[in-house]
Amino acid sequence: MIQASKTHNNRRPWNWLVYQSSDQFLNKYAPHYKGKLYDLGCGVRSYEPFFLNYADSYVGIDWGASVHDTKADIFADLNKPLPVDDAVADSVVCLSVLEHLSEPQTLLNEAYRIMKPGAVMVLQVPWQWRLHEEPYDFFRYTPYGLKYMFEKAGFKDIEIEATSGFFSMWVLKYNYFTLRLITGPRIVRGIKKVFFQPQWYIGQKLAPYLDKLDTYWPSETQGYYVIAKKA
């Protein structure tokens, strides 16, 4: 398996499980990364080397005033029409972006517009996840809401998959909560890290196995992946 998130700068001892899970899904969808690939909300282009194992070229689009660093080829507000021609993309990806948009339907409409007929969009969003990149954290999406929005944009053959079961979701929430407790003088922070890090590691190692006990992942999942096609 190619490690899609190997160089992702957000991968930490308390959250590597979410990136490990994402790698599994990104590899699963590899046949959809083709031709000229557009990454909507590319950030610092962490996934560019991974996608170029499959696609011929990579175009990153992001907002220049983003709260995180950006290395885009095209700077644009993803809440508005994109400065991209119609039907130019052979594939489109959008990872952990839709929750940060005040006008998410506009992004899906624009993704559909710039895609060639037969092109596929791969999108990932969180569900049971903490607030992040505040104040630009607007929405969480159920699979029913995602299906509705993709259909409204014109997409067909929409598939939505939960990225985890209850236990992975809970472990990640626990890890982020305990991370907030690591405060105080440097020596105190060090002691707290020594105490919590084994818990973070063991929890993340066990959670995928415990997820097998969860018979309905969509109910309490960490997030969702969506695969949708332009007819």
Side-chain angles (χ1 to χ4, degrees):
M1 177 187 292
I2 298 174
Q3 295 296 309
S5 64
K6 187 175 182 180
T7 60
H8 204 290
N9 58 9
N10 288 332
R11 190 181 179 118
R12 296 289 188 269
W14 54 85
N15 70 0
W16 53 260
L17 177 60
V18 71
Y19 296 101
Q20 177 179 287
S21 173
S22 185
D23 284 348
Q24 294 173 354
F25 283 91
L26 288 172
N27 276 280
K28 177 180 178 179
Y29 304 138
H32 300 303
Y33 314 138
K34 298 178 179 179
K36 192 171 187 178
L37 181 146
Y38 282 74
D39 186 349
L40 306 184
C42 65
V44 294
R45 309 167 76 95
S46 299
Y47 292 102
E48 179 181 12
F50 169 75
F51 289 126
L52 288 178
N53 286 297
Y54 308 98
D56 296 328
S57 62
Y58 173 98
V59 180
I61 303 179
D62 211 334
W63 184 32
S66 173
V67 297
H68 55 69
D69 292 335
T70 303
K71 297 180 181 179
D73 297 297
I74 300 172
F75 288 95
D77 186 343
L78 299 176
N79 294 292
K80 298 177 181 179
L82 300 176
V84 179
D85 292 337
D86 294 351
V88 294
D90 297 290
S91 48
V92 170
V93 295
C94 183
L95 307 176
S96 297
V97 172
L98 205 66
E99 72 271 20
H100 298 298
L101 302 181
S102 58
E103 301 295 335
Q105 188 67 54
T106 298
L107 175 73
L108 295 181
N109 295 346
E110 283 296 285
Y112 187 86
R113 178 184 65 80
I114 70 172
M115 290 166 63
K116 296 178 181 179
V120 171
M121 181 176 188
V122 177
L123 176 138
Q124 178 269 329
V125 289
W127 169 233
Q128 298 282 354
W129 199 250
R130 67 190 182 98
L131 286 173
H132 57 291
E133 297 188 17
E134 299 174 64
Y136 301 104
D137 191 353
F138 296 103
F139 300 105
R140 294 294 181 270
Y141 302 93
T142 70
Y144 307 102
L146 290 167
K147 186 173 186 293
Y148 170 81
M149 294 173 69
F150 271 84
E151 288 178 339
K152 187 176 181 180
F155 287 94
K156 306 295 182 184
D157 300 333
I158 302 164
E159 300 178 15
I160 302 172
E161 291 193 78
T163 58
S164 77
F166 167 83
F167 293 95
S168 288
M169 178 277 296
W170 184 87
V171 163
L172 288 163
K173 278 183 169 289
Y174 174 82
N175 289 2
Y176 273 104
F177 175 77
T178 53
L179 180 65
R180 288 162 48 195
L181 302 179
I182 300 179
T183 58
R186 183 174 181 180
I187 188 170
V188 174
R189 295 197 308 269
I191 292 171
K192 289 180 179 180
K193 285 182 180 179
V194 169
F195 176 75
F196 284 121
Q197 282 187 342
Q199 298 179 38
W200 295 341
Y201 179 79
I202 293 170
Q204 290 179 95
K205 291 295 285 187
L206 289 177
Y209 297 100
L210 293 173
D211 278 347
K212 296 176 183 179
L213 300 174
D214 185 353
T215 58
Y216 188 60
W217 282 19
S219 178
E220 298 281 3
T221 186
Q222 175 270 320
Y224 300 99
Y225 265 91
V226 183
I227 310 300
K229 185 177 182 179
K230 180 173 181 176

